[in-house]
Amino acid sequence: MNRALKYYEEEISKNEDKIKDLNKIINIISIIRLGIVLAVIAAVYYFFKIENVVLLILSIVIGLAIFLIVAIFHNKKIRDRKETKLIISINSKGIDRINGNFKKVEDKGEEFLDEKHPFTSDLDIFGRNSLFQMINSTKTKFGREKLSEIISLKEIPRKEEIVKRQEAIKELGEKVKWRQEIEVKSTLKKSGLKDINKLLEWANSERKINSLFKIIPYFFIALTIISIVLVTIKILPITYLILVFMINYLVVKVLTKDLSEVISLFDSHKKDIEAYSNILELIDKEDFKSELLISLKNKLRNNDTNVIKEMKRLKSLVDWLGDSSANGYYLILNVTLLSDIFILRNLEEWRKLNGDKLKEWLEVMGEIEALASISNLAFDFESWCYPKIYDEDILEVKDLAHPMLGEKAVSNSFNLNSRNGVSRKVALITGSNMSGKSTFLRTIGVNLLLSYIGAPVCAKEFSCSIFSIYTCMRTKDNLEESISSFYAEILRIKILIEAAKRGEKVFFLLDEIFKGTNSRDRHEGAMVLINQLVKNGAMGLVSTHDLELCDLEKTKEWIKNYNFQEYYEGNKIKFDYTLREGRSKTQNAVHLMKLAGIEFNEK
């Protein structure tokens, strides 16, 4: 059994038993809490009847103390149950990932879809049944956006960067408990995917602390203490103390006139800040071995700043702000000690000390979270291999399959290279409808992408050089811009040609090119395009129904023909999805039309 599958199943079983035990404990404590309440009510009633005020008050105090202790323990067990359920959910998702059942995951990353991107739409990187949907385990906005940047190849990595990322992903793949703990801690606090730009704007803005903040609070606190003493020894009436409290309240409101805006800001991000603090603490405490992870962790220790201490301090200040807007006892504290002024002052001091570092801390957190998502592949698919990256133009694969098809995936071997005196630049893929041409192109493209992001690939062996991937596969009409599917295809081809001409090392995947025009123009256009791309140093695959293109192999040593075939059992068409050398010798269009009910009358 796959070690990851075994691990996930064992974790689910173990935590399901834990939930049963927790449910029993929680139910017992609920009964105890009810018993305490009833006992206190009975005691209060009894002592009230016998007019024993001392014991009445004492019973309330003792009963409340016991109730609070039991309630704290009760809430802890409820949190434990919630955390345990999350662990079960995380491990269940791992099983779905292995079995190819990840399509029910709600977060598809659809907002990252971009039809103008060189390859993401054609290769199913975002959206339904996508790579993002399969691997994403990020729970913060920073992690999610960093993952989207990585898997869309916002920047083409160098060989050294790929190797470093491979090491990091291998290491994180083995830290499965630690990765799951990050998911749990961030999910429990509901660290959201909401926009936190306003929080970062606050952190990077400059606002001088009013000098009155440093003097006036102490004056009024002293006045309040003196007033309390004088009222206690009955030199002043209690109405004087009430007047002092009213003055203090006005002073607080005047000096913290912007506090409501700050409260609103932090109230919307309170759980985010706690989640970020938890994740950063987990990162800070973890011992990393790979160079990339060590360098990322070191960014959290710049200028001798204790990131964990500072994030906890920010969380504590935010907690106080929450209390100020919601709790009655805080009002007493505020009019006595002018606490809002000190909180606002402390927030300004925190911003002055750490504001310019906050974004970098969160970006480090996001990058590690994104790498942890990619490392799901490293742990889940132990039979996959890590690619070898070469400087020369090469693509050699053994037993390569589509990483998102699960058990349905069929593996094939394939190569394009410049070895043994022969320079293979283009593979022409022919075959009947539904035989597997398009899927094979996507299999090559997605695994190339996995190679560049440092992930293992769905193959026994995989060697490649670093290319810029360009695809033209799913062109469609755009009614809003009055663009036909054929013209949309032309625009995609234009982007590809321009990239090759400006010196990019292009790897292209073209599926049924120029299908929107007549056969003569399609054949001539495809032949000229392929020649032009090769002339500009590009490599790639082209699928086509135009069998005449296969004649290029006779005159161009850099092109090689491959095909997929179908076979029949009774009246049913079957496919083995096996790649074979040479041009296709079968076709199934007429047979499929007959199955649809179209009658071909012989003449």
Side-chain angles (χ1 to χ4, degrees), residues 102-305:
F102 59 88
K103 299 169 184 65
K104 59 187 177 183
V105 175
E106 292 182 4
D107 189 2
K108 304 176 182 66
E110 291 173 315
E111 73 272 30
F112 301 121
L113 284 169
D114 179 8
E115 292 184 2
K116 295 181 179 179
H117 189 276
F119 63 81
T120 54
S121 293
D122 287 337
L123 299 185
D124 301 311
I125 306 305
F126 302 106
R128 187 171 175 270
N129 304 337
S130 65
L131 180 65
F132 182 90
Q133 191 179 17
M134 178 183 183
I135 67 174
N136 176 43
S137 59
T138 64
K139 300 299 178 184
T140 72
K141 181 177 183 292
F142 285 90
R144 197 165 177 273
E145 290 187 347
K146 185 61 181 180
L147 179 62
S148 75
E149 288 179 11
I150 291 174
I151 64 177
S152 59
L153 289 184
K154 188 174 181 181
E155 294 181 2
I156 304 296
R158 299 191 305 275
K159 180 178 178 179
E160 298 77 21
E161 293 172 323
I162 294 173
V163 172
K164 287 180 181 178
R165 195 175 281 169
Q166 284 180 348
E167 293 172 354
I169 287 169
K170 285 179 186 177
E171 181 178 359
L172 289 174
E174 299 303 313
K175 293 180 180 291
V176 58
K177 280 190 176 293
W178 181 81
R179 288 188 285 111
Q180 291 189 357
E181 191 174 359
I182 282 184
E183 280 193 73
V184 169
K185 294 299 183 185
S186 53
T187 306
L188 276 176
K189 296 304 173 185
K190 297 180 181 177
S191 86
L193 302 177
K194 66 174 89 75
D195 189 4
I196 66 164
N197 285 334
K198 287 187 178 179
L199 178 62
L200 295 177
E201 286 173 9
W202 170 86
N204 288 291
S205 61
E206 293 184 7
R207 185 183 299 173
K208 292 183 179 180
I209 299 175
N210 194 323
S211 58
L212 295 176
F213 274 49
K214 300 179 180 180
I215 302 171
I216 290 181
Y218 296 105
F219 171 79
F220 282 96
I221 290 172
L223 178 63
T224 303
I225 294 172
I226 292 170
S227 299
I228 291 172
V229 172
L230 293 177
V231 169
T232 303
I233 61 178
K234 298 183 178 180
I235 293 178
L236 292 174
I238 194 169
T239 52
Y240 179 81
L241 183 60
I242 294 172
L243 178 62
V244 169
F245 286 155
M246 292 175 66
I247 293 171
N248 286 353
Y249 183 78
L250 290 172
V251 170
V252 169
K253 288 300 177 183
V254 169
L255 291 182
T256 62
K257 59 182 182 294
D258 297 330
L259 186 60
S260 59
E261 182 181 338
V262 175
I263 289 174
S264 176
L265 171 65
F266 282 102
D267 185 56
S268 63
H269 295 293
K270 182 176 180 179
K271 291 186 181 296
D272 295 316
I273 291 170
E274 186 168 358
Y276 298 157
S277 179
N278 290 339
I279 296 172
L280 288 168
E281 185 172 12
L282 285 169
I283 293 170
D284 185 70
K285 289 181 177 180
E286 189 64 20
D287 182 29
F288 296 118
K289 305 296 183 185
S290 61
E291 185 179 344
L292 176 58
L293 294 176
I294 291 172
S295 67
L296 287 171
K297 183 176 174 178
N298 286 339
K299 289 182 180 180
L300 300 177
R301 297 180 173 179
N302 53 0
N303 301 322
D304 298 321
T305 301

Side-chain angles (χ1 to χ4, degrees), residues 13 15 49 77 173 195 219 229 233 270 327-328 428 462 601:
S13 178
N15 283 284
K49 291 290 285 185
K77 292 301 176 183
D195 189 4
F219 171 79
V229 172
I233 61 178
K270 182 176 180 179
N327 295 310
L428 195 65
F462 195 101
N601 296 320

Side-chain angles (χ1 to χ4, degrees), residues 3 53 78 109 141 226 258 292 356 452 458 476 502 536:
R3 64 160 184 168
V53 177
I78 291 173
K141 181 177 183 292
I226 292 170
D258 297 330
L292 176 58
D356 60 335
Y452 301 155
C458 186
K476 57 185 179 181
R502 64 174 172 260
N536 283 284

